[in-house]
Amino acid sequence: MNTLERPKRAPVPRATDTTLSRDYYISQEIFEREIEKVFFKQWTFAGHVSQIPNVGDYFLHTFAGESLIIVRESAETVRAHFNVCRHRGSQLTKAGSGNVKLFVCPYHQWSYELNGGLRRAPMMPDGGCIDYDKLALNPAAAEVWAGMIFVNLSPNPEQTLIQALGEPPAGLLKLEPENVKEICRDQLLVRGNWKTLLENYLECYHCAGSHPELGVAFDIQSSYDQTATWGGACFLGGEPVRKGLVTVSMTGDLVSKPLGRHAEDATLQLEVAEGLGLLPVLTRVLFHVDHAIIHVMNPLSVGEVQWTTIWYVRKDAVEGVDYETDRVVEVWRATNSEDKELCERNYQGVLSRVFVPGPLNPRAEGAVRPVLDHYLQMME
Ligand code: FES
Ligand code: FE
């Protein structure tokens, strides 16, 4: 089956649905299988084009224990290479970002072009002892979609990102997602299995009781119906903002200059944030009228997952004049910290030998099982 197929119909939650058996959250063997069957197969968010505007600009990106170099090869092309020298495996760079003409390995100075090709292997004897064509850096797939860079650890994914997601929708393009800049990045270590965090994100059953800040901004009741359409490997769609609010903030007022063409728009309201999701290892993108947030999940081990949230505003916005970072990040920083605690407490219970999963709420947790079913298909 094509793992990046979009769901053809809304999944139908059943009253008998549950999460997975305990093994799926605690077994090292299953985690090893996930690396091969899931983490090396799916598209995830790596960064934004604003991080690498010039040819030779690069940044390092870590996912599922792998270090990738994301580099701008030309105005049109962004590439991803495994940060592993083809001589004896040294990492080529440890610097988080920079600009290079060539990547030169610090160990024995083999050098590589921006496209990953081996340029020079000093002092290696001539006469065909090494085949330069076979010693390019290992590639991962990289694609830019609406200014966002996505990677797939497989060099030949079953579907390109554009085949899977289609063209960016007009509502998103109106916000000019390529013309934003990062203003803040929070990285939380959550002591739980990555699927515990996934399940938490997929349901808002817990929101009313645990997320006072999120409840100010999002229409939690409508979000049940929104998430009910989540199922396959990826989807386009945002989340409902509360009626009457202009954006997602603690007051509902703008927290930065409107994005893109909304700057001249008299009607700023956007009732559903524009966005997309990639599953099952979650990337969630949400563009509001004045700022954007991207959540990215990075499984570190069977019992630890990194949860990164990045906030963006339009690129010409000035801190202190057009926005205060503390106000932009307020809702999700609070929500993330609440979710970290909920997930860690949940995982402690799952670790108990008496744990067996109970029934899911068909409406408020309706997205959980369809996404887990998709995960199970990938694991076959
Ligand atoms: Fe990179 Fe030797 S390990 S040149
Ligand atoms: Fe939550």
Side-chain angles (χ1 to χ4, degrees):
M1 124 152 211
N2 193 331
T3 54
L4 285 171
E5 215 165 66
R6 272 195 277 177
K8 291 188 173 49
R9 59 178 171 76
V12 184
R14 296 156 299 236
T16 51
D17 281 344
T18 67
T19 52
L20 303 173
S21 62
R22 180 171 172 265
D23 271 3
Y24 277 94
Y25 305 93
I26 65 169
S27 157
Q28 184 61 35
E29 199 185 315
I30 288 176
F31 186 76
E32 297 293 330
R33 199 153 90 233
E34 289 172 342
I35 294 173
E36 178 198 344
K37 301 276 192 179
V38 180
F39 308 158
F40 265 73
K41 291 263 163 85
Q42 86 153 82
W43 289 95
T44 54
F45 175 84
H48 188 266
V49 289
S50 57
Q51 293 172 255
I52 46 172
N54 304 308
V55 171
D57 285 350
Y58 75 89
F59 64 88
L60 288 187
H61 171 66
T62 307
F63 178 68
E66 298 290 343
S67 171
L68 294 177
I69 302 170
I70 313 293
V71 59
R72 177 164 295 286
E73 183 195 352
S74 69
E76 296 77 34
T77 311
V78 169
R79 291 201 185 247
H81 309 300
F82 282 80
N83 187 12
V84 179
C85 180
R86 293 301 305 277
H87 177 218
R88 279 172 44 210
S90 169
Q91 288 198 324
L92 295 167
T93 176
K94 282 186 178 298
S97 61
N99 180 281
V100 292
K101 290 200 165 30
L102 293 170
F103 292 103
V104 181
C105 179
Y107 205 173
H108 314 95
Q109 284 74 50
W110 283 29
S111 56
Y112 299 87
E113 312 278 0
L114 300 181
N115 68 8
L118 178 60
R119 159 80 74 93
R120 225 176 133 246
M123 297 167 58
M124 292 294 276
D126 292 334
C129 110
I130 64 169
D131 185 343
Y132 276 64
D133 290 342
K134 291 198 173 128
L135 290 169
L137 294 175
N138 290 299
E143 291 198 24
V144 177
W145 189 95
M148 293 166 269
I149 303 165
F150 296 89
V151 293
N152 190 311
L153 295 181
S154 160
N156 298 303
E158 294 175 34
Q159 250 186 331
T160 64
L161 188 71
I162 195 90
Q163 283 170 341
L165 275 178
E167 294 294 332
L172 178 61
L173 293 179
K174 197 175 174 193
L175 296 165
E176 296 180 4
E178 66 286 2
N179 289 327
V180 297
K181 64 175 177 184
E182 179 178 333
I183 58 161
C184 187
R185 179 179 290 233
D186 282 358
Q187 290 189 312
L188 288 181
L189 175 69
V190 180
R191 291 183 182 81
N193 183 265
W194 65 275
K195 297 185 293 301
T196 308
L197 182 60
L198 170 69
E199 290 158 8
N200 174 270
Y201 195 94
L202 292 173
E203 54 90 359
C204 222
Y205 196 20
H206 68 279
C207 293
S210 300
H211 291 320
E213 304 82 5
L214 199 65
V216 168
F218 279 109
D219 182 347
I220 288 170
Q221 288 295 322
S222 305
S223 78
Y224 300 152
D225 304 322
Q226 200 84 13
T227 53
T229 61
W230 296 5
C234 49
F235 60 91
L236 289 177
E239 278 172 26
V241 178
R242 254 187 202 285
K243 278 218 179 332
L245 301 193
V246 178
T247 191
V248 170
S249 68
M250 285 306 290
T251 59
D253 301 319
L254 293 180
V255 285
S256 186
K257 273 167 113 167
L259 297 177
R261 280 169 270 163
H262 278 281
E264 309 98 48
D265 203 330
T267 55
L268 287 172
Q269 202 158 319
L270 194 71
E271 286 181 3
V272 177
E274 292 286 342
L276 69 98
L278 296 169
L279 295 161
V281 185
L282 188 73
T283 289
R284 185 70 169 122
V285 174
L286 288 170
F287 270 78
H288 311 298
V289 280
D290 58 340
H291 71 286
I293 66 150
I294 301 184
H295 296 298
V296 196
M297 190 182 275
N298 175 18
L300 302 176
S301 67
V302 66
E304 285 184 328
V305 52
Q306 187 181 53
W307 181 238
T308 300
T309 302
I310 313 167
W311 287 265
Y312 299 87
V313 297
R314 62 183 290 149
K315 68 179 176 193
D316 60 0
V318 178
E319 168 130 52
V321 178
D322 300 307
Y323 70 93
E324 306 287 344
T325 299
D326 287 351
R327 282 195 69 213
V328 180
V329 307
E330 209 171 3
V331 169
W332 275 107
R333 180 170 281 167
T335 304
N336 285 338
S337 131
E338 290 150 7
D339 278 328
K340 171 178 158 71
E341 193 175 332
L342 292 168
C343 287
E344 291 184 343
R345 182 180 293 205
N346 186 176
Y347 192 60
Q348 284 304 306
V350 169
L351 289 174
S352 164
R353 287 167 188 82
V354 304
F355 167 73
V356 279
L360 291 166
N361 180 317
R363 181 161 182 243
E365 294 174 298
V368 173
R369 188 65 208 198
V371 174
L372 292 176
D373 285 341
H374 168 65
Y375 156 83
L376 290 173
Q377 281 173 354
M378 292 182 84
M379 289 288 279
E380 272 168 14

